[in-house]
Amino acid sequence: IGPNGAGKTTLFNLINGQLMPSAGRIYFFEQDITDLPTYRRAHLGQARAFQLISLLLNLSVLENTLLALYGTTPYRFKMFRSVNGFANVMDRADITLKGLGLWEKKDETVKNLGYGEQRRLEIGLGLALHPKLLLLDEPSAGLSIEECSEIIEIIKNLGEGVTVVIVDHDMDLVFGVADRIIVLHYGQIIADGPPREIQADPRVREIYLGIEE
């Protein structure tokens, strides 16, 4: 967490390979990934949901799901065979969409879905890749209280095999799911610890919450 301009999304861009660092190195499970492109980082186990929806809006829910799953398999090099011809990919798409409650809308064009459904699909597709690290940039942006609760449940029900890093201004979401909170201010870490410790930190209250002792 941190105020606007603190460097939260920039940090995500560096981890994910959208930006190259001007100094220092980036390690992912002890592997130096500083010079790797984004797609290589995805194959190593990174997934990301952006603040702005990055789905293919003119394709169907199922087509978006198949493309996401297909892109991380060896089949992606077989350009002249229909993606529908790979039974295991279809099975994974089936499981993914049913888990998200979107199977009944699999043939619906994504642009016709509600915003909350689009957000749920994008996060679900990231999880369907079985990542080691899932980056969620403002997952609650534009969502109703009910839709935000659905996102919280998705995150809470994840297994221990995936680490989720969230940037969000919704404090109910952050303090409801986080085991550890890092507070950024002008690119510097000013606090790092469990939620209760962060809530009680006077620097956080003054700089981020605008409360002066």
Side-chain angles (χ1 to χ4, degrees), residues 169-209:
H169 290 292
D170 186 330
M171 293 298 100
D172 289 334
L173 184 149
V174 171
F175 286 94
V177 302
D179 298 312
R180 172 186 177 190
I181 297 176
I182 297 173
V183 185
L184 289 177
H185 185 59
Y186 290 115
Q188 302 294 319
I189 295 174
I190 64 165
D192 179 358
R196 285 187 179 182
E197 184 178 305
I198 297 300
Q199 283 180 308
D201 191 307
R203 293 171 301 171
V204 176
R205 293 169 62 83
E206 180 179 352
I207 294 174
Y208 184 70
L209 300 177

Side-chain angles (χ1 to χ4, degrees), residues 72-186:
T72 58
T73 69
Y75 311 138
R76 66 185 182 278
F77 299 112
K78 297 183 179 180
M79 305 293 185
F80 302 105
R81 180 175 172 183
S82 170
V83 69
N84 297 323
F86 298 100
N88 60 333
V89 177
M90 289 295 294
D91 289 343
R92 286 175 61 191
D94 184 348
I95 293 170
T96 298
L97 292 178
K98 285 179 178 175
L100 295 171
L102 293 172
W103 178 251
E104 298 300 322
K105 297 189 176 183
K106 67 182 185 300
D107 297 319
E108 188 78 42
T109 303
V110 167
K111 66 182 178 182
N112 294 331
L113 295 180
Y115 184 81
E117 292 174 321
Q118 291 181 9
R119 175 64 72 185
R120 188 160 19 119
L121 175 61
E122 184 166 42
I123 294 173
L125 293 186
L127 292 172
L129 303 179
H130 303 299
K132 298 175 183 177
L133 173 68
L134 176 62
L135 303 171
L136 299 180
D137 196 352
E138 300 277 3
S140 67
L143 300 184
S144 65
I145 295 176
E146 181 179 349
E147 290 168 338
C148 188
S149 296
E150 292 176 353
I151 299 299
I152 291 175
E153 285 306 308
I154 290 174
I155 297 170
K156 282 185 173 180
N157 290 329
L158 294 176
E160 294 183 356
V162 56
T163 294
V164 182
V165 182
I166 301 171
V167 164
D168 212 299
H169 290 292
D170 186 330
M171 293 298 100
D172 289 334
L173 184 149
V174 171
F175 286 94
V177 302
D179 298 312
R180 172 186 177 190
I181 297 176
I182 297 173
V183 185
L184 289 177
H185 185 59
Y186 290 115

